Amino acid sequence: MSTPQLEKIYTPRQVEDRWYRRWIELGLFHATLTHQGEPFSIVIPPPNVTGSLHVGHALNNTLQDILVRWRRMQGRNSLWMPGTDHAGIATQNVVERRLQEEGTSREALGREAFLKRVWTWKEQSGGTIIAQLKRLGASCDWERERFTMDEGLSEAVREVFVRLHQDGLMYRGERLINWCPRCLTALSDIEVEHEDITGKLYTIRYPLADEPNTCLLVATTRPETMLGDTAVAVHPEDERYRRFIGRRVSLPLTNREIPVVGDSILVDREFGTGAVKITPAHDFNDFEAGMRHHLPRIKMMDVHAAVRLAGTQADGELSTVEGLPVPKARPKIEHILTARGLLEKIENHKMALGKCYRCKTVVEPLLSDQWFVNIKPLAEPAVQAVEDGRVRIIPETWKNNYLGWMRDIKDWCVSRQIWWGHQIPAWYCEACYGKPFLRRASDGAPLIPSDASAIVAKSAPETCPNGHRESLVQDPDVLDTWFSSALWPFSTLGWPRQTPELKMFYPTSTLVTGLDILFFWVARMIMMGLKFMGTVPFRDVYIHALVRDAEGQKMSKSKGNVIDPLHVMDEYGTDALRFTLASMSSPGRDVKLAEERIEGYRNFANKIWNAARFILMHVGGTRITPPPAQRSFPDRWILSRLNATIRTVSQDLAQYRFDRAASALYQFIWHEYCDWYLELIKPTLQAPDSPESATVRGTLVET
RNA sequence: GGGCGGAUAGCUCAAUUGGGAGAGCGCUGCCCUUACAAGGCAGAGGUCACAGGUUCGAUCCCUGUUCCGCCUACCA
């Protein structure tokens, strides 16, 4: 019998690396098609390919790993499908920043060279997050790793786009969309973050055209947009203003006269002055109102959110505003209005400011031609699937959140004016619609004529319907990153081909994710899964907590309160981090990660290490399983406790109570096995030949 | 504006059916007893946010209040 020499103190790093290598060598994470067990599958929420492991990833992947390893131990054919996301805007921004440091830009490089550059960047840094997941111990089936821009997944994207188009669920149209003036692209509604601020409410005098001494008082938080006003609305039943409806006011600072209309939807009599300016090209409500009253749309800013006076005959003073970005234009307009006695008052006003979720720039509503998914027909079945329990959302409290959003869902703007991503599979004929075609105008807007009809196809068509061959150009825009993510549960398994993997592992068993991407990702996967696979993409959605710092603050680089999981793993070991995250992951509560807690579980790992060390010192690698009749009282006791613990842990994990499972393990190992059992058997270990001793050995090594 | 969650020991959090309030960390005291001082044993510490109500009895159920957090919402 050899007596292995174990260090007195557990040093995680070497042990972790050694075991991880061994697991990989033995192919333990690889799911095969020949495995007889009942399939169990999870697709990873693909991290951004340029990303680095943060503590949210650590939690998310720890929980998935626990589930997968547990099911694997139960004999299930378990697949954890890994991969990364191309993360369109985020990645493009990263590479663009690099270019800027080099004194160049994507425009200077041109599309092709730029994309080459992004791919290079992806090859260089794309492996980082994967390596970090391995460091975390993630038991993914790495042989199956996918990337959202792999050829197979891109094919799935084109297939879906074309089929949605065929079914009338994908359309192009001029709508008001959220526009990021820094990223220079459209954003979907949920890509806009709202921040509460105290802004200003300006009340401006709009004189009646035929009665200049009488003014309508109009309230606005964005006075500069008055340059794009095409009407003023009052409530049709408002006694104060009824007599003005149908007459005209002369729009200050411009030479235009605009009508006064009655609109009971737009106007809240109680708010402000009861009179609202209508700027159809720069406000969502006004856009709708503009449609109701057939008002013209005047764009008073360009894609950089800089003021344009086109459509307005500006006087000398106003022309100084031309070209100024909104934050600079606003005070100038305020100044001019004040100087001319047109500003009635300014009040403080609480409001929500929309910001780009990628770069935090203030988002502007902009009139633009974009591609949209007609989402209602897809949302309805996805609502049903959750209502009737085909998809279970855990904890259930988020179910209403999901249903509420889905029932009130707006069409999904899927086109992005960036280069990194899946280029939209639509072609236009320059011969039919004139040149220059797809070049960008000085304001950056694509020059696809609104009436140009697109030829949507999986690959470039030979000719346009009129027979032109050489004049076809592809839509320059790319798809929202979340478009390809929505297909992830089946595209990674080989769809649109009917692969054996798809048959075996779809629908997947569980999705583990954070609340922040419930709408971005989860909802869209359910919609797309139902549409293209006919079944839900997963049975359970487990929504875990958000990890905060010890003070409960959201971790952010700017606050400097970020806990780096890599640092924690170096300092305390991977198991300490994982056990901490699991044990604090109780439902309905955010995880406040405090370093002392991690230290406590580092000690736990050390405790286990030393228990093993103790056993090995006495019995080495001997493995003896005595028949039940020969088992001592302590043996029978600890075995019964062991079985009870296994039962508890299994029940807890089946209910996604990672916290309880962790505490059951902690309790058993430390306070029952170590504190009592090991102490109880110490005397018998003094007499190595006694039957009790043999029993002890067998039991210990077995467990 | 609407919706949801939280408030329990100094700190971080448990407590699935209303009936004696728990863990880890920290703290106090004693132990370097050869598995582990990243340990062992013993112990202190809580009007379970506040105010009402239901009940024989409430941390738990109901109502209201305060504070914190989140989601959602473009009342200009």
Side-chain angles (χ1 to χ4, degrees), chain A residues 3-184:
Chain A
T3 310
Q5 295 293 317
L6 292 192
E7 299 292 325
K8 217 167 157 181
I9 287 186
Y10 175 50
T11 45
R13 191 57 196 259
Q14 324 158 359
V15 178
E16 288 167 7
D17 288 350
R18 193 175 72 236
W19 278 107
Y20 200 84
R21 262 202 311 277
R22 185 127 176 82
W23 291 331
I24 295 287
E25 281 163 17
L26 293 173
L28 298 180
F29 305 157
H30 184 55
T32 66
L33 295 166
T34 50
H35 192 295
Q36 294 302 304
E38 185 193 344
F40 177 83
S41 51
I42 290 185
V43 290
I44 200 172
N48 180 346
V49 67
T50 62
S52 179
L53 194 80
H54 58 64
V55 69
H57 291 127
L59 171 65
N60 178 249
N61 289 291
T62 293
L63 299 184
Q64 292 176 77
D65 198 43
I66 290 170
L67 292 176
V68 173
R69 285 176 188 259
W70 170 55
R71 293 302 191 187
R72 210 178 270 133
M73 283 192 279
Q74 290 182 327
R76 303 272 294 266
N77 186 16
S78 303
L79 166 66
W80 185 6
M81 171 67 75
T84 49
D85 193 287
H86 67 282
I89 300 173
T91 303
Q92 173 155 327
N93 284 352
V94 168
V95 176
E96 278 196 277
R97 257 197 305 278
R98 291 223 143 185
L99 293 178
Q100 201 179 1
E101 282 162 18
E102 294 167 18
T104 179
S105 68
R106 82 171 148 122
E107 288 79 10
L109 282 182
R111 184 165 190 146
E112 214 170 307
F114 176 75
L115 286 179
K116 218 167 154 182
R117 186 64 200 266
V118 183
W119 275 107
T120 307
W121 163 259
K122 186 252 171 193
E123 299 309 330
Q124 284 168 1
S125 77
T128 305
I129 187 103
I130 296 297
Q132 291 167 337
L133 284 172
K134 291 177 178 170
R135 173 92 174 80
L136 188 71
S139 65
C140 298
D141 189 348
W142 298 111
E143 293 170 46
R144 297 179 190 276
E145 185 185 335
R146 295 286 185 273
F147 176 54
T148 46
M149 280 172 68
D150 283 348
E151 180 44 39
L153 278 73
S154 300
E155 188 190 338
V157 165
R158 291 192 296 269
E159 175 83 21
V160 164
F161 189 97
V162 169
R163 280 175 57 181
L164 287 174
H165 187 256
Q166 281 167 356
D167 294 347
L169 298 174
M170 178 70 75
Y171 66 92
R172 185 165 159 263
E174 188 183 46
R175 296 289 138 87
L176 211 52
I177 44 88
N178 299 292
W179 181 268
C180 175
R182 200 218 63 84
C183 299
L184 294 178

Side-chain angles (χ1 to χ4, degrees), chain A residues 564-618:
Chain A
D564 178 3
L566 296 161
H567 171 77
V568 171
M569 285 189 274
D570 286 340
E571 182 95 16
Y572 300 102
T574 299
D575 287 306
L577 172 67
R578 289 171 49 123
F579 207 90
T580 306
L581 292 171
S583 69
M584 300 193 73
S585 178
S586 42
R589 190 188 272 271
D590 287 341
V591 173
K592 284 192 215 165
L593 192 59
E595 218 160 298
E596 304 83 65
R597 192 77 183 236
I598 303 171
E599 201 178 323
Y601 291 119
R602 184 268 319 259
N603 296 350
F604 180 49
N606 190 54
K607 188 78 178 174
I608 297 174
W609 176 263
N610 275 290
R613 179 164 171 265
F614 173 74
I615 299 305
L616 290 172
M617 279 171 70
H618 287 89

Side-chain angles (χ1 to χ4, degrees), chain A residues 294-351:
Chain A
H294 310 289
L295 299 172
R297 299 166 189 157
I298 296 178
K299 286 172 132 179
M300 49 65 60
M301 75 178 76
D302 65 13
V303 291
H304 303 284
V307 172
R308 293 196 326 185
L309 295 175
T312 299
Q313 212 172 50
D315 58 39
E317 198 177 4
L318 188 60
S319 65
T320 61
V321 177
E322 167 103 49
L324 287 182
V326 165
K328 292 204 172 121
R330 185 171 299 169
K332 212 142 196 171
I333 294 275
E334 180 187 325
H335 180 256
I336 297 171
L337 287 171
T338 308
R340 299 186 187 182
L342 293 166
L343 199 56
E344 177 77 12
K345 59 179 172 181
I346 303 176
E347 300 156 287
N348 281 339
H349 179 62
K350 266 185 249 155
M351 52 192 268

Side-chain angles (χ1 to χ4, degrees), chain A residues 274-303:
Chain A
V276 195
K277 61 199 258 330
I278 302 183
T279 322
H282 296 284
D283 181 281
F284 287 93
N285 288 325
D286 293 6
F287 181 81
E288 298 294 328
M291 304 257 274
R292 288 194 289 276
H293 301 283
H294 310 289
L295 299 172
R297 299 166 189 157
I298 296 178
K299 286 172 132 179
M300 49 65 60
M301 75 178 76
D302 65 13
V303 291

Side-chain angles (χ1 to χ4, degrees), chain A residues 347-417:
Chain A
E347 300 156 287
N348 281 339
H349 179 62
K350 266 185 249 155
M351 52 192 268
L353 199 59
K355 296 186 167 184
C356 172
Y357 82 135
R358 287 303 185 199
C359 72
K360 314 299 175 197
T361 302
V362 175
V363 164
E364 292 291 342
L366 213 68
L367 198 56
S368 176
D369 266 299
Q370 302 287 344
W371 286 94
F372 295 87
V373 176
N374 176 8
I375 206 83
K376 281 258 194 284
L378 296 171
E380 247 165 67
V383 164
Q384 278 221 314
V386 169
E387 271 178 342
D388 65 25
R390 271 174 292 149
V391 174
R392 249 177 6 126
I393 295 181
I394 303 142
E396 208 177 354
T397 156
W398 304 122
K399 185 172 157 180
N400 286 333
N401 228 327
Y402 168 90
L403 292 174
W405 186 72
M406 287 293 275
R407 287 180 182 134
D408 194 34
I409 196 167
K410 306 275 182 352
D411 279 2
W412 178 12
C413 176
V414 291
S415 42
R416 298 288 179 274
Q417 286 64 53

